[in-house]
Amino acid sequence: MLRSRSKTIIDEIAASDVAQLQVIFNDINNSCQILGFDKQKNSIDFLTVKSFVGSEVGSMNLAYPKHWQGPYVQDNPEIKGIYYQVVVTDHGYFITPGDGVKLSNGKVIGTDIPLDKSADIQNLVKMGELKDERGKELAAAINIHG
């Protein structure tokens, strides 16, 4: 019972964190205009930054870096020591748990659920691969203008 509950708790935390991260990235985009990210998979390990020089914070490139209002969190969110990530796909930009996170359905992000450039993350959510047992989404789109 406890083992089953702990698996479910991981998904509950992930759903909550992903929703919070989506709000943060939308705020950043509204104030700084996100231009893009350096890699196809980008660890979200830079939201604690108060200020920086240049137009890049972590792996994120900004049009208006002077409008940065960080830190956005006290500690960068993670699951079992693994940071969340922004995944760049042909279908857009998405926040997901990091590669190596094992979901309650037993599937591992990046292994059983590959998140490469062609991944259709919205469809994975729709099909239930990236939802928790209550139907909460474990991935979220980031809308960027640029």
mmCIF file of all heavy atoms in Angstrom, residues 65-84:
data_model
loop_
_atom_site.group_PDB
_atom_site.id
_atom_site.type_symbol
_atom_site.label_atom_id
_atom_site.label_comp_id
_atom_site.label_asym_id
_atom_site.label_seq_id
_atom_site.Cartn_x
_atom_site.Cartn_y
_atom_site.Cartn_z
ATOM 1 N N PRO A 65 16.361 40.652 -21.573
ATOM 2 C CA PRO A 65 16.868 40.101 -20.309
ATOM 3 C C PRO A 65 16.813 41.077 -19.138
ATOM 4 O O PRO A 65 16.749 40.651 -17.989
ATOM 5 C CB PRO A 65 18.311 39.713 -20.651
ATOM 6 C CG PRO A 65 18.672 40.542 -21.835
ATOM 7 C CD PRO A 65 17.401 40.735 -22.603
ATOM 8 N N LYS A 66 16.815 42.363 -19.413
ATOM 9 C CA LYS A 66 16.763 43.357 -18.321
ATOM 10 C C LYS A 66 15.419 43.324 -17.587
ATOM 11 O O LYS A 66 15.293 43.843 -16.491
ATOM 12 C CB LYS A 66 17.047 44.752 -18.859
ATOM 13 C CG LYS A 66 18.485 44.927 -19.307
ATOM 14 C CD LYS A 66 18.803 46.366 -19.585
ATOM 15 C CE LYS A 66 20.154 46.605 -20.181
ATOM 16 N NZ LYS A 66 21.300 46.098 -19.554
ATOM 17 N N HIS A 67 14.418 42.684 -18.171
ATOM 18 C CA HIS A 67 13.103 42.583 -17.538
ATOM 19 C C HIS A 67 12.973 41.343 -16.644
ATOM 20 O O HIS A 67 11.894 41.065 -16.123
ATOM 21 C CB HIS A 67 11.998 42.574 -18.593
ATOM 22 C CG HIS A 67 11.935 43.846 -19.384
ATOM 23 N ND1 HIS A 67 11.362 43.902 -20.622
ATOM 24 C CD2 HIS A 67 12.382 45.100 -19.118
ATOM 25 C CE1 HIS A 67 11.464 45.137 -21.089
ATOM 26 N NE2 HIS A 67 12.082 45.880 -20.191
ATOM 27 N N TRP A 68 14.066 40.596 -16.506
ATOM 28 C CA TRP A 68 14.097 39.396 -15.646
ATOM 29 C C TRP A 68 13.693 39.782 -14.227
ATOM 30 O O TRP A 68 14.188 40.768 -13.682
ATOM 31 C CB TRP A 68 15.495 38.804 -15.666
ATOM 32 C CG TRP A 68 15.688 37.569 -14.849
ATOM 33 C CD1 TRP A 68 16.256 37.484 -13.613
ATOM 34 C CD2 TRP A 68 15.346 36.230 -15.218
ATOM 35 N NE1 TRP A 68 16.293 36.177 -13.189
ATOM 36 C CE2 TRP A 68 15.735 35.391 -14.152
ATOM 37 C CE3 TRP A 68 14.743 35.659 -16.334
ATOM 38 C CZ2 TRP A 68 15.559 34.011 -14.178
ATOM 39 C CZ3 TRP A 68 14.566 34.285 -16.359
ATOM 40 C CH2 TRP A 68 14.962 33.478 -15.293
ATOM 41 N N GLN A 69 12.795 39.032 -13.622
ATOM 42 C CA GLN A 69 12.294 39.340 -12.289
ATOM 43 C C GLN A 69 12.637 38.251 -11.279
ATOM 44 O O GLN A 69 11.931 38.075 -10.296
ATOM 45 C CB GLN A 69 10.778 39.560 -12.349
ATOM 46 C CG GLN A 69 10.399 40.723 -13.236
ATOM 47 C CD GLN A 69 8.915 40.773 -13.544
ATOM 48 O OE1 GLN A 69 8.127 40.030 -12.971
ATOM 49 N NE2 GLN A 69 8.540 41.648 -14.445
ATOM 50 N N GLY A 70 13.715 37.528 -11.549
ATOM 51 C CA GLY A 70 14.104 36.430 -10.693
ATOM 52 C C GLY A 70 14.652 36.898 -9.356
ATOM 53 O O GLY A 70 14.887 38.090 -9.164
ATOM 54 N N PRO A 71 14.824 36.001 -8.430
ATOM 55 C CA PRO A 71 14.562 34.571 -8.601
ATOM 56 C C PRO A 71 13.059 34.245 -8.615
ATOM 57 O O PRO A 71 12.279 34.885 -7.930
ATOM 58 C CB PRO A 71 15.239 33.933 -7.400
ATOM 59 C CG PRO A 71 15.291 35.012 -6.358
ATOM 60 C CD PRO A 71 15.358 36.315 -7.105
ATOM 61 N N TYR A 72 12.715 33.265 -9.438
ATOM 62 C CA TYR A 72 11.312 32.858 -9.563
ATOM 63 C C TYR A 72 10.942 31.772 -8.563
ATOM 64 O O TYR A 72 9.764 31.566 -8.284
ATOM 65 C CB TYR A 72 11.034 32.377 -10.998
ATOM 66 C CG TYR A 72 11.048 33.525 -11.979
ATOM 67 C CD1 TYR A 72 12.229 33.924 -12.596
ATOM 68 C CD2 TYR A 72 9.891 34.236 -12.263
ATOM 69 C CE1 TYR A 72 12.248 34.987 -13.478
ATOM 70 C CE2 TYR A 72 9.900 35.306 -13.146
ATOM 71 C CZ TYR A 72 11.082 35.682 -13.741
ATOM 72 O OH TYR A 72 11.102 36.745 -14.604
ATOM 73 N N VAL A 73 11.943 31.059 -8.062
ATOM 74 C CA VAL A 73 11.741 30.035 -7.028
ATOM 75 C C VAL A 73 12.934 30.082 -6.082
ATOM 76 O O VAL A 73 14.013 30.564 -6.434
ATOM 77 C CB VAL A 73 11.617 28.606 -7.627
ATOM 78 C CG1 VAL A 73 10.367 28.462 -8.475
ATOM 79 C CG2 VAL A 73 12.853 28.225 -8.428
ATOM 80 N N GLN A 74 12.729 29.572 -4.872
ATOM 81 C CA GLN A 74 13.827 29.503 -3.907
ATOM 82 C C GLN A 74 14.770 28.351 -4.257
ATOM 83 O O GLN A 74 15.980 28.471 -4.157
ATOM 84 C CB GLN A 74 13.273 29.329 -2.499
ATOM 85 C CG GLN A 74 14.337 29.429 -1.441
ATOM 86 C CD GLN A 74 13.748 29.458 -0.047
ATOM 87 O OE1 GLN A 74 12.555 29.602 0.150
ATOM 88 N NE2 GLN A 74 14.607 29.312 0.940
ATOM 89 N N ASP A 75 14.192 27.222 -4.651
ATOM 90 C CA ASP A 75 14.959 26.050 -5.068
ATOM 91 C C ASP A 75 14.382 25.559 -6.389
ATOM 92 O O ASP A 75 13.155 25.467 -6.538
ATOM 93 C CB ASP A 75 14.854 24.918 -4.038
ATOM 94 C CG ASP A 75 15.475 25.296 -2.699
ATOM 95 O OD1 ASP A 75 16.655 25.696 -2.699
ATOM 96 O OD2 ASP A 75 14.779 25.189 -1.679
ATOM 97 N N ASN A 76 15.257 25.228 -7.346
ATOM 98 C CA ASN A 76 14.784 24.684 -8.610
ATOM 99 C C ASN A 76 14.085 23.347 -8.351
ATOM 100 O O ASN A 76 14.657 22.477 -7.694
ATOM 101 C CB ASN A 76 15.948 24.496 -9.583
ATOM 102 C CG ASN A 76 16.487 25.823 -10.064
ATOM 103 O OD1 ASN A 76 15.771 26.607 -10.673
ATOM 104 N ND2 ASN A 76 17.760 26.084 -9.781
ATOM 105 N N PRO A 77 12.859 23.185 -8.838
ATOM 106 C CA PRO A 77 12.130 21.947 -8.554
ATOM 107 C C PRO A 77 12.763 20.733 -9.232
ATOM 108 O O PRO A 77 13.312 20.838 -10.323
ATOM 109 C CB PRO A 77 10.727 22.217 -9.096
ATOM 110 C CG PRO A 77 10.868 23.343 -10.052
ATOM 111 C CD PRO A 77 12.073 24.118 -9.633
ATOM 112 N N GLU A 78 12.655 19.605 -8.536
ATOM 113 C CA GLU A 78 13.202 18.350 -9.051
ATOM 114 C C GLU A 78 12.415 17.196 -8.463
ATOM 115 O O GLU A 78 11.707 17.347 -7.473
ATOM 116 C CB GLU A 78 14.684 18.240 -8.710
ATOM 117 C CG GLU A 78 14.973 18.352 -7.229
ATOM 118 C CD GLU A 78 16.450 18.360 -6.888
ATOM 119 O OE1 GLU A 78 17.178 19.224 -7.373
ATOM 120 O OE2 GLU A 78 16.851 17.462 -6.121
ATOM 121 N N ILE A 79 12.556 16.053 -9.107
ATOM 122 C CA ILE A 79 11.963 14.809 -8.600
ATOM 123 C C ILE A 79 13.093 13.808 -8.431
ATOM 124 O O ILE A 79 13.822 13.527 -9.389
ATOM 125 C CB ILE A 79 10.928 14.220 -9.579
ATOM 126 C CG1 ILE A 79 9.769 15.169 -9.786
ATOM 127 C CG2 ILE A 79 10.406 12.884 -9.075
ATOM 128 C CD1 ILE A 79 8.775 14.678 -10.808
ATOM 129 N N LYS A 80 13.257 13.306 -7.219
ATOM 130 C CA LYS A 80 14.302 12.330 -6.910
ATOM 131 C C LYS A 80 15.665 12.793 -7.431
ATOM 132 O O LYS A 80 16.411 12.025 -8.025
ATOM 133 C CB LYS A 80 13.942 10.957 -7.475
ATOM 134 C CG LYS A 80 12.765 10.316 -6.775
ATOM 135 C CD LYS A 80 12.591 8.887 -7.232
ATOM 136 C CE LYS A 80 11.535 8.210 -6.388
ATOM 137 N NZ LYS A 80 11.365 6.814 -6.741
ATOM 138 N N GLY A 81 15.956 14.094 -7.246
ATOM 139 C CA GLY A 81 17.254 14.630 -7.642
ATOM 140 C C GLY A 81 17.398 14.939 -9.121
ATOM 141 O O GLY A 81 18.489 15.272 -9.575
ATOM 142 N N ILE A 82 16.314 14.836 -9.885
ATOM 143 C CA ILE A 82 16.362 15.104 -11.332
ATOM 144 C C ILE A 82 15.537 16.353 -11.629
ATOM 145 O O ILE A 82 14.355 16.414 -11.282
ATOM 146 C CB ILE A 82 15.819 13.896 -12.137
ATOM 147 C CG1 ILE A 82 16.653 12.643 -11.835
ATOM 148 C CG2 ILE A 82 15.809 14.206 -13.632
ATOM 149 C CD1 ILE A 82 16.088 11.362 -12.414
ATOM 150 N N TYR A 83 16.181 17.334 -12.255
ATOM 151 C CA TYR A 83 15.480 18.567 -12.613
ATOM 152 C C TYR A 83 14.436 18.315 -13.707
ATOM 153 O O TYR A 83 14.585 17.403 -14.528
ATOM 154 C CB TYR A 83 16.462 19.616 -13.147
ATOM 155 C CG TYR A 83 17.400 20.177 -12.119
ATOM 156 C CD1 TYR A 83 18.779 19.989 -12.223
ATOM 157 C CD2 TYR A 83 16.924 20.905 -11.033
ATOM 158 C CE1 TYR A 83 19.649 20.513 -11.285
ATOM 159 C CE2 TYR A 83 17.787 21.423 -10.084
ATOM 160 C CZ TYR A 83 19.142 21.220 -10.210
ATOM 161 O OH TYR A 83 19.991 21.727 -9.264
ATOM 162 N N TYR A 84 13.426 19.151 -13.716
ATOM 163 C CA TYR A 84 12.482 19.162 -14.836
ATOM 164 C C TYR A 84 13.243 19.689 -16.050
ATOM 165 O O TYR A 84 14.354 20.194 -15.925
ATOM 166 C CB TYR A 84 11.287 20.071 -14.511
ATOM 167 C CG TYR A 84 10.395 19.459 -13.459
ATOM 168 C CD1 TYR A 84 10.693 19.615 -12.104
ATOM 169 C CD2 TYR A 84 9.287 18.704 -13.811
ATOM 170 C CE1 TYR A 84 9.906 19.033 -11.126
ATOM 171 C CE2 TYR A 84 8.487 18.119 -12.836
ATOM 172 C CZ TYR A 84 8.808 18.287 -11.501
ATOM 173 O OH TYR A 84 8.032 17.698 -10.549
#
